[in-house]
Structures are given as structure tokens and as C-alpha cells.
Amino acid sequence: MTVNAQTENTKEAKENSYSDNEEVLLQLEKQVSIAVWIQFIGQIMEAYYLSKIMLVSEEVRSDANEQQILLGAWIQTLGQFLEGYGTTQQIVSDEEKLTLEAQEITNVGDWLQTLGTLLEANAGTQIILEEKQNELAPIKFFP
């Protein structure tokens, strides 16, 4: 085998390896997109059932912290949808400009999810603090 033949074989092997890697990456990106949509389904179910609890329970409905938890869940749901949409658009887009726009949509979705999580965590903390305050309240003596 000559040096030129060896060089050509090496180039072909590298090109095939690159092509194989690109295909593996595309498959993994598709799987990520599917996983994000599955998360969206779970998130919308959480927000939906929290909304139903709010409708059924007057105690929950009248609690500002519980309302904030519900708001946070719906904001997260919107963010999860945008992340799913943006992720999918990144995979199907061939144009660099459209891919960048899809990345921006995905990023906005991530920020909305973060905001929703912060709202829920803050409200949850307030509920815990109120519960602890009630536990520490002096017990009244009734003779």
C-alpha cells in the first residue's frame, strides 16, 4: 500500500467517523426533545390538578401562598412548553438564524421555569414558616 492510499483511507475513516458521530448526536438531540415534551406533559398535569384542588378547597383557594404555588406551576408549564417548542425547532431547523431564534425561545422557557420554581419555593417556605409559628404558639390553658 502506498502512502497516498493510506492517507485516503485515513481521510475516509475520519469522514465516516464524523458522519457517524453527527448521526448519533442528531438521535440524542431528538431524544432530548422527546424528554422535554414528556416533562411538559407532567408539568401541565401538575398545574391542572393543582387548579382542581384550588376549585374544590375553599381553604386552599383563600390562601395567598397556595395561590402563588398555583401561579408558579402555570408559569413553569408555559416555560416548559417554550423549552419543548424551542428544542424541537433547533432540531428541525437547517438555517443558522432560525436555530438561534429557537435557542432564544428555549432560553426564555428556561427562565420562565426558573421564575415559576422561585414562586413555588417562596410560597412553600412561607407555608412552612406559618406552620412552625403555629406549633410554637403557646397552648392556652382551659381549666
Side-chain angles (χ1 to χ4, degrees), residues 1 15 17 29-30 43 51 54 82 84 90-91 130 135:
M1 195 182 263
E15 287 175 10
S17 175
E29 289 170 353
K30 286 178 181 178
Q43 185 61 49
S51 296
M54 184 79 61
L82 290 175
Q90 288 177 60
I91 292 168
E130 287 173 9
E135 283 181 10

Side-chain angles (χ1 to χ4, degrees), residues 34-88:
I34 290 167
V36 170
W37 284 112
I38 290 170
Q39 287 179 313
F40 170 69
I41 292 167
Q43 185 61 49
I44 200 165
M45 288 175 67
E46 177 189 358
Y48 172 77
Y49 289 118
L50 285 173
S51 296
K52 288 193 75 95
I53 289 170
M54 184 79 61
L55 290 173
V56 171
S57 173
E58 175 62 38
E59 181 182 350
V60 172
R61 190 171 43 248
S62 64
D63 187 328
N65 290 316
E66 295 287 353
Q67 292 172 4
Q68 185 173 327
I69 287 172
L70 179 62
L71 176 62
W74 278 112
I75 290 172
Q76 284 183 68
T77 302
L78 176 60
Q80 191 69 49
F81 172 78
L82 290 175
E83 183 182 4
Y85 177 78
T87 301
T88 301

